[in-house]
Amino acid sequence: MAGKRKKSVIPGFGLTMGITTGYLGLIVLFPLACLFFQTLDVSLDTVQKTVFSGRALAAFGLSFGASFAAACVNTVFGFLVAWVLVRYTFPGRFLVDAMVDLPFALPTAVAGISLTFLYAQNGWLGKFLYGLGIPSVYSRIGVFIALIFIGLPFVVRTVQPVLVNFDTQVEEAAASLGASRFKAFTRVIMPEVLPSAITGFALAFARALGEYGSVVFISGNMPHRTEIVPLLIMTRLEEYDYLGAQILAVVMLVLSFCFLFLINFLQYWGQRHHRMQECVA
Amino acid sequence: MSGISQTPGNSRSVNESLPVRMLLIFTALLFLVLFLILPLVAVFYNAFHEGLPVYKQAITDPATIHAVILTFLAVFCAVPLNCAFGVAAAWAISKFRFRGKNALITLIDLPLTVSPVVSGTIFILIFGAHGLLGPWLSAHNIKIIFAIPGIVLVTIFVTLPFVARELLPVMTAQGNFDEEAALTLGASGWKTFLRITLPNIRWGLFYGVVLSVARAMGEFGAVSVVSGHIRGKTITMPLHVEILYNEYNFAAAFAVASLLTFVSIMTLGLKKYAEVKTARQNKELEDFMTEKRML
Amino acid sequence: MGIQIENISKFYGHFTALRDVSLDVQAGELVALLGPSGSGKTTLLRIIAGLESPDEGRVILSGEDAAYKNPRDRNVGFVFQHYALFRHMTVFENVAFGLKVRPRRDRLPKKEIFDRVFSLLKLVQLDFFAARYPAQLSGGQRQRVALARALAVEPKVLLLDEPFGALDAQVRKELRRWLKKLHEKIHVTSVFVTHDQEEALEVADRLVIMNNGAVEQIGTPEEIYHRPANPFVFRFLGDVNLFHCRTENGHYSFIGQGGDISDKDGSVRQVFIRPHLFDISLTPGNRESIQGSIQHINAAGPSVKVEIVSEWGGSVQVNIPQDRYQRLGLQKGMSVYLIPLQMSTFDETLPTEEQP
């Protein structure tokens, strides 16, 4: 056990590291490696045909478009919710704060059927929207609505701690120097919050891109129109087109990797940004 | 993460005027009502809409009960394993210095970013009939895909990060001093872990487990891919909701959904509870370090 | 039960935390490791405890090489800087921990554990707080719990990392006197780390002055204070004024001020004078003196602090007794002569006073 150079006195490195790498290898790394290994055999031509077919392109278009739009909405409202929760007191604030995490905890299938009920033509909210000529279910708008729901907590939860730690003296200083409330907000508060808001946006976008459960019920699943990529993969599997499903899955996986690195980078950037601020203070 | 603990000063210069404040609160709350509260209310409204007898019948239906049992089976397989993994991973990462630590953390996070459908597809492509191990498995008469092992496997994959992610920041913040103190006092590694580390991380661990349970019960996309939807055999609760819904049996679908919703509300409550507890623990830790509390 | 440290080095990547450190601690001694932050003193303490392992050299505890011994087998008591008290345990449970985690065959009966813990709590005057949690105690009380906890396992060696570092100035003073008394009572071999020279000089039997991972000087408080081995030790132990001095056949004359010596022929030396080792005179007199004018006077305190601008334009700190100040009738702006009462010189390559 004790070599000439022991690294640390805390015991259990071998055991815990063994468990960690073994388990990760078995559950995560081995399956992923298999998938990539299998995909190496696939000819580029087939990949092109699968990914650039009209139906797949439409699905990617919808997935990206709706996810982007939903993440934008969530960034604006998520910031607002975080602001209200941190800065103001009102009855039920504690409850509202707890509720924000609901989309993390609620099974997506439950969210899907509930949203479909609400936004259907004769649903509680659909009634008004259809009255305004907005088809809120079985349409791209339906996809958009479902993705807003599942991405809602991300921006709130990334921005909230930054606002909590924000030193209000800085705002007071801005005010004492004659800045209007609006100027103080855009010049002093926004730069501080921006990195975390962007991280939240990326998290919400990544989550929306892969979402399946809540969308399938509300979208209507019409090829070329309201079909998202995860659903297309599902369809391919049901048609026993495993190769098609595999290629699309690999594309989605690569996108996930990219997002993971982007998000890690953003968090690192945000922390560094923060640390620099602390150094100044 | 809790933002509730601190309310900034009421100085005029940093507060909006009352009408602006009211407008902002109103807008935020309206958004939350539309996208959070109403879906929640709708679940229970539809579940009980056709009366208690219908509700009772829906949740005591043999198919429902079977789905509940299968769901709990998946939870009981996945959560303890991921819990043990999470504790081991958090210990290895937070207590030691080694190369490739960030890569390891990224790998642990991976199942969170992968689309559930893609996760399921990966396992089909390995264990399915046409998959890499498919011929070998069928030759030995082992069925993973479209069977319970597949469901358990994807559930493990999807909930793998939660315990580790909750514990990592807690253990990193606490440092090694308590463990070192216990070791110099003659405690063995196991005793140190059980008597010192475990009590220190209990709330993080508790919340990690709660989150894993909730996610394991509610996982839909990944399970849907590998289950094959064989009635009475591979149907978990979320899949059962889907089947009932697609059969236009809305009342029953929402009744089963209400059970899952109840679990998720419990999760949120327990989260808040654990958060309040950890906040208190952290405050103690901070007081310890900064010596604020002199008697 | 002494500690022998033989030629220990420790590296963190390219950073050298300890460089060839050797040290003997006699049984029953109370030794202070004193140095600025980053001097390696805490690393050395952790190596003695077995919490870090040295890259080179040996630690010998009571005649036994401890290299392959875990901290749990070394029988050392370690008091952490922030105490590392177990927050989920009461004071009693904290102190009893080391006794309760022993393997069953070595474990004391419950009654004896109880008695031992209570006698220790009495020793640290905390027997009334046995049922409290650490969060309900003051800093000084926590410190004493940590000490009792470390003593409970009857260590052969007691190690304390900045034992008073996290405390208020007032509590610090009380507690270090108390620690000195406690050590006289129980006489366990002890090593403590501090960056506060006053604390080290007051409490320790012997001091080890460390800088940049190496030992600068080892000695009793008296030796160290009155015969510092080198400029670093001299400066570290208190305020000091630096001058340049030319020596020629027994005579010396001040020729400048500050740290750097431009002269290369070897006849110019650096001279160190503590603020209280000056006398102020209004006339030049016949002894070698430094001329200057008073810039600032602070008469609040046991002695009067006078800041003087010397003939070379630098500032000189001088402390003189109150009565002397009254007698001279010093005023701001007055021209005065500084007469050194005691000077120390060090040759950069060859210390004037070698340590045994």
Side-chain angles (χ1 to χ4, degrees):
Chain A
M1 261 286 282
K4 194 167 186 308
R5 279 190 61 179
K6 275 189 297 173
K7 276 280 169 207
S8 168
V9 289
I10 304 284
F13 181 70
L15 178 71
T16 54
M17 200 61 185
I19 293 175
T20 307
T21 47
Y23 194 78
L24 269 179
L26 202 68
I27 306 287
V28 180
L29 221 49
F30 168 70
L32 287 181
C34 283
L35 182 66
F36 281 111
F37 184 67
Q38 274 178 299
T39 312
L40 288 180
D41 297 341
V42 181
S43 75
L44 215 63
D45 197 42
T46 326
V47 174
Q48 211 165 5
K49 255 187 222 153
T50 314
V51 179
F52 293 99
S53 74
R55 189 170 169 184
L57 279 181
F60 274 108
L62 177 62
S63 271
F64 272 91
S67 298
F68 184 80
C72 287
V73 170
N74 276 327
T75 306
V76 174
F77 281 94
F79 182 81
L80 177 66
V81 170
W83 179 267
V84 166
L85 282 176
V86 173
R87 289 305 182 93
Y88 307 141
T89 42
F90 53 90
R93 191 171 71 138
F94 189 81
L95 205 65
V96 170
D97 186 60
M99 284 293 295
V100 167
D101 284 325
L102 184 72
F104 285 155
L106 194 70
T108 51
V110 176
I113 63 170
S114 188
L115 288 170
T116 311
F117 163 79
L118 284 175
Y119 288 91
Q121 196 154 9
N122 52 1
W124 295 349
L125 298 169
K127 263 188 285 195
F128 304 106
L129 292 168
Y130 274 85
L132 295 169
I134 301 167
S136 48
V137 291
Y138 311 130
S139 64
R140 290 174 176 189
I141 293 168
V143 176
F144 170 64
I145 289 169
L147 295 182
I148 291 178
F149 173 81
I150 57 112
L152 192 146
F154 290 99
V155 176
V156 182
R157 289 305 184 223
T158 49
V159 169
Q160 206 175 11
V162 179
L163 283 179
V164 167
N165 292 328
F166 188 79
D167 189 358
T168 40
Q169 283 183 5
V170 178
E171 277 170 74
E172 285 172 338
S176 73
L177 294 169
S180 68
R181 188 74 192 126
F182 181 75
K183 273 240 171 77
F185 183 79
T186 51
R187 298 276 179 86
V188 177
I189 300 170
M190 275 312 274
E192 185 77 0
V193 173
L194 203 62
S196 62
I198 294 172
T199 307
F201 173 86
L203 283 166
F205 186 71
R207 171 74 207 266
L209 213 53
E211 179 55 19
Y212 171 74
S214 57
V215 178
V216 280
F217 295 98
I218 203 170
S219 75
N221 309 332
M222 286 164 281
H224 298 283
R225 279 193 31 79
T226 62
E227 189 178 54
I228 53 169
V229 182
L231 184 69
L232 183 61
I233 296 175
M234 199 72 169
T235 314
R236 292 281 182 251
L237 286 172
E238 275 163 9
E239 292 164 349
Y240 300 104
D241 176 9
Y242 285 109
L243 190 63
Q246 181 184 343
I247 291 165
L248 291 172
V250 169
V251 173
M252 288 296 277
L253 207 55
V254 170
L255 287 172
S256 302
F257 275 126
C258 296
F259 268 102
L260 204 57
F261 281 114
L262 178 72
I263 289 160
N264 278 357
F265 172 75
L266 285 172
Q267 269 163 353
Y268 168 77
W269 177 54
Q271 274 166 12
R272 223 179 54 141
H273 180 83
H274 228 78
R275 229 173 282 141
M276 271 160 60
Q277 298 269 330
E278 263 165 35
C279 284
V280 173
Chain B
M1 273 290 223
S2 168
I4 287 297
S5 47
Q6 184 194 341
T7 317
N10 290 326
S11 108
R12 298 212 112 202
S13 58
V14 295
N15 249 334
E16 286 68 36
S17 60
L18 190 67
V20 174
R21 227 181 313 165
M22 295 299 264
L23 182 72
L24 290 178
I25 294 176
F26 177 78
T27 317
L29 289 184
L30 182 69
F31 176 72
L32 292 178
V33 165
L34 285 182
F35 282 95
L36 286 182
I37 312 290
L38 276 182
L40 206 58
V41 173
V43 171
F44 290 105
Y45 170 82
N46 283 302
F48 295 102
H49 185 54
E50 289 177 26
L52 260 179
V54 178
Y55 182 83
K56 207 176 156 195
Q57 206 208 330
I59 60 170
T60 51
D61 184 79
T64 309
I65 289 172
H66 188 271
V68 172
I69 290 170
L70 179 58
T71 303
F72 275 101
L73 179 73
V75 169
F76 281 125
C77 292
V79 175
L81 279 175
N82 284 337
C83 184
F85 161 76
V87 173
W91 181 278
I93 292 170
S94 68
K95 302 263 173 229
F96 303 94
R97 277 183 293 182
F98 56 90
R99 276 159 180 273
K101 194 183 264 194
N102 285 329
L104 197 63
I105 296 172
T106 308
L107 205 61
I108 293 173
D109 278 349
L110 191 69
L112 285 180
T113 11
V114 175
S115 167
V117 171
V118 174
S119 315
T121 308
I122 294 169
F123 285 96
I124 287 223
L125 293 170
I126 294 167
F127 299 110
H130 304 275
L132 200 65
L133 303 177
W136 186 86
L137 287 171
S138 59
H140 290 77
N141 220 359
I142 303 169
K143 215 164 159 34
I144 291 182
I145 297 304
F146 306 144
I148 292 168
I151 292 175
V152 172
L153 207 57
V154 292
T155 307
I156 290 174
F157 180 87
V158 170
T159 57
L160 180 137
F162 290 106
V163 173
R165 278 184 65 91
E166 284 304 316
L167 288 185
L168 252 178
V170 176
M171 285 173 77
T172 309
Q174 282 174 345
N176 288 355
F177 292 115
D178 281 15
E179 283 78 12
E180 285 176 352
L183 290 170
T184 58
L185 291 169
S188 66
W190 276 111
K191 272 192 180 144
T192 303
F193 172 72
L194 291 174
R195 299 218 187 162
I196 305 302
T197 313
L198 213 52
N200 276 345
I201 62 171
R202 61 189 188 277
W203 292 113
L205 183 63
F206 169 75
Y207 180 54
V209 169
V210 167
L211 214 56
S212 302
V213 170
R215 188 66 203 274
M217 286 184 76
E219 181 48 40
F220 178 69
V223 172
S224 178
V225 173
V226 296
S227 114
H229 292 80
I230 306 165
R231 283 186 192 222
K233 276 201 164 162
T234 60
I235 302 299
T236 62
M237 286 170 81
L239 296 182
H240 192 51
V241 170
E242 183 196 21
I243 289 176
L244 290 170
Y245 186 85
N246 286 344
E247 287 170 345
Y248 300 102
N249 193 351
F250 293 141
F254 278 105
V256 179
S258 74
L259 296 179
L260 288 166
T261 310
F262 180 71
V263 171
S264 49
I265 292 172
M266 287 281 291
T267 310
L268 297 183
L270 291 173
K271 182 196 175 189
K272 264 283 156 218
Y273 181 72
E275 246 176 30
V276 170
K277 286 283 183 187
T278 27
R280 198 169 297 161
Q281 218 177 9
N282 287 346
K283 208 185 148 297
E284 265 173 35
L285 188 71
E286 215 172 275
D287 287 351
F288 246 73
M289 296 299 188
T290 54
E291 201 52 42
K292 272 182 200 153
R293 290 175 63 164
M294 301 288 294
L295 288 186
Chain C
M1 302 192 216
I3 308 167
Q4 276 92 50
I5 290 160
E6 294 180 354
N7 310 98
I8 281 194
S9 294
K10 174 82 183 170
F11 312 101
Y12 293 108
H14 295 293
F15 176 71
T16 307
L18 290 173
R19 196 183 319 124
D20 196 24
V21 171
S22 295
L23 171 67
D24 263 2
V25 180
Q26 305 300 317
E29 226 183 351
L30 177 56
V31 168
L33 301 179
L34 175 65
S37 58
S39 60
K41 52 197 193 303
T42 295
T43 307
L44 183 59
L45 196 75
R46 288 172 63 86
I47 286 176
I48 299 173
L51 294 169
E52 309 269 351
S53 45
D55 292 315
E56 287 162 19
R58 297 201 296 169
V59 176
I60 295 166
L61 295 174
S62 344
E64 261 185 280
D65 189 346
Y68 299 108
K69 276 193 169 179
N70 281 322
R72 54 180 297 227
D73 303 322
R74 287 193 182 203
N75 208 354
V76 297
F78 199 99
V79 178
F80 290 81
Q81 187 175 3
H82 295 287
Y83 323 133
L85 292 181
F86 307 134
R87 283 166 287 141
H88 60 286
M89 294 182 189
T90 60
V91 167
F92 180 89
E93 287 166 333
N94 262 285
V95 177
F97 181 83
L99 301 171
K100 285 186 177 168
V101 295
R102 283 190 187 166
R104 202 168 292 269
R105 62 196 143 75
D106 305 335
R107 205 179 303 161
L108 296 171
K110 259 199 173 149
K111 176 79 177 74
E112 276 179 51
I113 292 181
F114 185 87
D115 289 344
R116 166 103 56 100
V117 171
F118 260 94
S119 73
L120 274 165
L121 287 178
K122 273 207 192 83
L123 184 71
V124 298
Q125 298 151 12
L126 281 173
D127 41 338
F128 290 111
F129 296 90
R132 293 229 186 149
Y133 284 90
Q136 300 165 305
L137 301 180
S138 73
Q141 289 167 335
R142 284 177 201 164
Q143 220 283 335
R144 274 142 55 198
V145 176
L147 197 60
R149 186 179 69 177
L151 289 173
V153 293
E154 297 186 318
K156 287 190 237 160
V157 171
L158 183 64
L159 306 170
L160 305 103
D161 185 7
E162 295 270 3
F164 316 114
L167 299 173
D168 283 356
Q170 195 57 40
V171 185
R172 264 177 106 105
K173 280 193 177 160
E174 268 169 42
L175 217 60
R176 71 195 190 203
R177 263 166 232 150
W178 176 81
L179 179 73
K180 180 86 186 161
K181 261 187 229 153
L182 182 77
H183 180 258
E184 273 157 19
K185 205 191 279 180
I186 58 176
H187 239 72
V188 60
T189 313
S190 308
V191 180
F192 75 101
V193 156
T194 180
H195 61 264
D196 181 340
Q197 59 277 25
E198 199 186 314
E199 186 173 295
L201 291 169
E202 184 179 328
V203 178
D205 296 332
R206 275 203 303 154
L207 270 68
V208 179
I209 313 284
M210 297 187 65
N211 184 34
N212 285 329
V215 173
E216 298 279 353
Q217 190 177 4
I218 301 175
T220 64
E222 206 182 321
E223 278 168 358
I224 300 247
Y225 190 78
H226 292 295
R227 276 172 286 146
N230 55 43
F232 172 80
V233 176
F234 200 105
R235 285 197 214 194
F236 192 70
L237 289 181
D239 293 332
V240 63
N241 299 294
L242 265 72
F243 298 96
H244 299 166
C245 191
R246 185 185 296 280
T247 48
E248 269 166 321
N249 22 321
H251 291 284
Y252 62 89
S253 53
F254 292 103
I255 57 159
Q257 194 183 1
D260 299 319
I261 299 171
S262 52
D263 186 274
K264 284 178 189 78
D265 64 8
S267 63
V268 177
R269 291 189 143 183
Q270 211 171 24
V271 177
F272 293 71
I273 304 172
R274 295 227 184 266
H276 67 276
L277 293 175
F278 274 118
D279 188 24
I280 295 181
S281 163
L282 300 176
T283 52
N286 47 11
R287 289 176 64 186
E288 182 64 28
S289 63
I290 298 155
Q291 203 200 335
S293 66
I294 298 178
Q295 193 178 36
H296 189 79
I297 298 173
N298 176 8
S303 63
V304 180
K305 298 186 181 78
V306 186
E307 191 180 335
I308 287 159
V309 179
S310 76
E311 50 194 291
W312 305 285
S315 127
V316 183
Q317 308 295 327
V318 178
N319 294 356
I320 55 168
Q322 290 279 3
D323 58 336
R324 179 84 183 135
Y325 163 70
Q326 301 290 350
R327 210 149 357 107
L328 289 168
L330 297 180
Q331 299 268 307
K332 208 169 157 178
M334 271 170 94
S335 181
V336 291
Y337 297 88
L338 299 174
I339 301 159
L341 303 173
Q342 191 188 322
M343 306 188 293
S344 304
T345 57
F346 303 96
D347 210 316
E348 285 301 320
T349 51
L350 198 82
T352 48
E353 281 159 304
E354 287 231 27
Q355 278 308 118

